[in-house]
Amino acid sequence: MPNNEKEYNGYLFDQLSILERIEAVTNDEAVLKQIAMERRQIERKLYQKPPLVSE
């Protein structure tokens, strides 16, 4: 479990990187559609306002 928001965001960026690598090697439209959905969900968590913790 991440200890802070910076660590959590690091995990989310790692997930985006994995999706980009998968996207680069597939031509399957169903897979590309699923990747786009996963990317939106990750970005929603990554760029949420207000931040996870108040400072």
Side-chain angles (χ1 to χ4, degrees), residues 2-54:
N3 293 329
N4 57 42
E5 186 175 0
K6 184 175 179 180
E7 187 176 354
Y8 183 68
N9 286 346
Y11 289 134
L12 294 174
F13 279 119
D14 289 343
Q15 290 177 359
L16 288 174
S17 295
I18 291 168
L19 290 177
E20 288 172 356
R21 284 186 244 140
I22 295 169
E23 189 174 35
V25 297
T26 190
N27 291 326
D28 186 336
E29 286 301 317
V31 173
L32 293 172
K33 185 175 179 180
Q34 183 67 31
I35 288 172
M37 186 185 74
E38 298 295 336
R39 182 185 314 268
R40 285 191 304 273
Q41 291 176 353
I42 293 168
E43 288 175 346
R44 187 177 313 130
K45 293 175 189 174
L46 185 60
Y47 301 117
Q48 70 183 352
K49 298 290 182 197
L52 294 174
V53 292
S54 49

